[in-house]
Amino acid sequence: MSETLLREETSAWEAALFQLEEAADVLGLDQGMRDLLASPKRVLTVAVPVRRDDGRLEVFTGYRVHHNVTRGPAKGGIRYHPMVSLDEIKALAMWMTWKCAVVGIPFGGAKGGVVVDPTTLSRGELERLTRRYAAELLPIIGPEKDIPAPDVNTDDQVMAWIMDTFSVNQGYSVPGIVTGKPIAIGGSEGRRGATALGVMYCLFMALRERGLQPSDVTVAIQGYGKVGSAVALFLHDAGCKVVAVSDVRGGVHNARGLNPQALSRHRRATGSPTVSTYPGADRISNEELVGLDVDVFIPAALEGVIRGDNVDQVKASIMVEAANGPTTPAADKVLNDRGCLVVPDVLANAGGVTVSYFEWVQDIQAYFWSEDQVGQRMRRVMERAYEEVSAFAQERGLSMRQAAQVIGIGRVADAHATRGLFP
């Protein structure tokens, strides 16, 4: 299987299984433990009927997967996207399991999604879809069981609707049912930009290892959504030269550097859904952005964007994965052989779930922290995790991805062995 996956393009689920097998080989896990870790604990498929504004009834398909809950409640985002599939959700849930273990958070992995293009829904339709989907998940979600969060095309408002739906069914307010919700109903300070800040901290650790300063590097960011746009702003403010960004409709490039604040002002002023209309730079495609001669490349879109057929275009010497699963195993091998430092998703974008954990803790205690407290604690978690992964990679002669996977999978396997098997 390994040779086949390294030759051919793979789905997200196949890539996740390949990474698990690699780590299991290093750990020396027996076949039973491998099968256990490869098998999602629970997979739910639901029909989500929605009354459209014109009176039509339309039925969408939704999923929620609990990959593993041995180390704690299931944790993972909910995405609304027309390309959502069960295999994708299973892979994302598995990666979330390893991610929580890598940074030492007592959660297991989950993921959810609805097959829908949310841009085709009115606000009322979006709310009705969210509430019905949440109602279908009621048997398996809860602060002690599964805590959803925002993901692609979902936000704090969607989380507020889920929190309210769950609370109404319980008969009292349950803020700990979701994270990434508005502060007015129990959200955490510092949650909105947490994933992007974690990406920045990991990049700075990588630069420090190479004797570089933020002002020494040029950066290209693929994916200018919630995470990508925040990463661009943080890196620009820290002194990095962000020379290119893109979204699903295309991108822009300026060798002298882009100003993310000017990009955002342009989008607000024109109502444009894409950065590619920004007049202060040259328009480029997503494919052209991948091949730019930059020091740092940050994929912040969807999975599988760096593949065997385009990895040779990547010229960056450092890649920090803000997205989940953006690099296929075939591409990963090429980058590793070339000496490109890839800071993997299960480490690089763990700032979001780290602050989600903080939000959950604050909700349970009904005692809330300042933004500075949240930021300082998250930075300590991310920098400690980076140091552990980097040291282990150097000690064992592994890539950063392999080291992170071995650490995360090893911790989950150890938890299984410690708890034992019932009955």
Side-chain angles (χ1 to χ4, degrees):
M1 181 180 71
S2 298
E3 290 301 319
T4 300
L5 285 173
L6 286 174
R7 287 196 307 269
E8 300 172 0
E9 292 315 321
T10 59
S11 69
W13 179 237
E14 290 170 328
L17 290 176
F18 174 81
Q19 293 166 359
L20 170 58
E21 283 295 318
E22 269 201 327
D25 288 343
V26 175
L27 289 162
L29 299 181
D30 62 38
Q31 190 58 50
M33 182 60 75
R34 293 172 190 239
D35 292 342
L36 181 61
L37 296 176
S39 303
K41 177 179 178 63
R42 187 177 291 114
V43 176
L44 179 65
T45 302
V46 297
V48 187
V50 177
R51 183 72 65 186
R52 301 298 293 262
D53 290 343
D54 61 7
R56 290 181 297 117
L57 178 66
E58 189 167 352
V59 181
F60 300 91
T61 300
Y63 304 106
R64 188 69 178 173
V65 172
H66 294 172
H67 171 253
N68 191 287
V69 294
T70 304
R71 298 181 63 257
K75 187 79 185 79
I78 290 172
R79 61 176 52 184
Y80 293 166
H81 196 278
M83 298 304 291
V84 162
S85 69
L86 182 55
D87 272 0
E88 174 194 48
I89 297 300
K90 287 164 57 180
L92 293 166
M94 179 182 283
W95 285 326
M96 181 60 82
T97 299
W98 315 146
K99 184 184 303 183
C100 292
V102 167
V103 294
I105 290 171
F107 283 146
K111 205 71 177 185
V114 179
V115 186
V116 61
D117 180 355
T119 64
T120 65
L121 303 178
S122 69
R123 180 179 172 85
E125 291 168 340
L126 181 65
E127 180 177 356
R128 291 194 289 276
L129 176 135
T130 297
R131 289 184 180 276
R132 184 55 186 250
Y133 173 62
E136 298 296 340
L137 300 186
L138 287 177
I140 68 167
I141 61 174
E144 299 83 19
K145 296 189 289 186
D146 175 12
I147 307 104
D151 197 75
V152 176
N153 293 327
T154 58
D155 57 15
D156 56 353
Q157 179 60 71
V158 170
M159 294 304 107
W161 289 328
I162 295 175
M163 179 263 192
D164 182 69
T165 302
F166 186 89
S167 298
V168 167
N169 278 273
Q170 293 295 112
Y172 53 89
S173 182
V174 188
I177 178 57
V178 294
T179 59
K181 57 189 173 294
I183 290 176
I185 56 171
S188 175
E189 296 281 359
R191 173 61 183 87
R192 186 180 295 271
T195 303
L197 275 175
V199 170
M200 183 179 75
Y201 295 148
C202 284
L203 172 58
F204 287 176
M205 294 289 285
L207 294 179
R208 194 176 309 158
E209 287 183 338
R210 296 193 168 197
L212 297 171
Q213 297 295 322
S215 57
D216 295 333
V217 297
T218 54
V219 182
I221 302 171
Q222 184 192 52
Y224 205 70
K226 289 179 293 187
V227 175
S229 60
V231 170
L233 180 60
F234 292 150
L235 293 184
H236 173 269
D237 290 349
C240 297
K241 184 184 290 186
V242 179
V243 299
V245 299
S246 69
D247 54 39
V248 68
R249 297 174 178 85
V252 288
H253 172 239
N254 187 329
R256 295 187 300 275
L258 297 167
N259 185 336
Q261 291 181 329
L263 277 167
S264 297
R265 285 196 299 269
H266 169 74
R267 293 174 74 178
R268 287 195 301 268
T270 62
S272 174
T274 175
V275 295
S276 62
T277 61
Y278 180 64
D282 298 324
R283 186 167 184 170
I284 58 173
S285 67
N286 270 291
E287 293 73 22
E288 290 171 325
L289 182 141
V290 170
L292 289 176
D293 188 7
V294 293
D295 301 304
V296 179
F297 174 56
I298 300 177
L302 297 174
E303 59 272 5
V305 296
I306 306 300
R307 311 171 302 273
D309 62 354
N310 70 355
V311 66
D312 288 337
Q313 300 174 31
V314 177
K315 297 181 177 63
S317 59
I318 299 174
M319 188 164 82
V320 184
E321 294 183 334
N324 291 308
T327 312
T328 67
D332 203 43
K333 185 177 187 306
V334 172
L335 293 170
N336 190 41
D337 290 346
R338 187 192 300 167
C340 177
L341 172 61
V342 179
V343 184
D345 49 0
V346 294
L347 171 61
N349 66 38
V353 72
T354 299
V355 178
S356 278
Y357 166 62
F358 295 163
E359 180 176 334
W360 178 73
V361 169
Q362 292 170 80
D363 286 333
I364 290 173
Q365 295 180 333
Y367 181 79
F368 293 85
W369 311 337
S370 70
E371 186 170 1
D372 284 345
Q373 288 174 311
V374 171
Q376 290 169 9
R377 291 171 181 177
M378 187 268 280
R379 183 167 190 165
R380 285 199 297 269
V381 168
M382 294 299 297
E383 291 184 346
R384 183 189 67 236
Y386 186 99
E387 289 170 351
E388 290 175 350
V389 172
S390 180
F392 189 75
Q394 294 175 38
E395 175 189 332
R396 299 293 294 272
L398 302 172
S399 70
M400 287 284 284
R401 186 186 312 283
Q402 291 167 331
Q405 294 279 343
V406 169
I407 289 173
I409 292 168
R411 287 172 178 169
V412 177
D414 183 57
H416 273 292
T418 302
R419 287 183 57 166
L421 189 62
F422 176 85

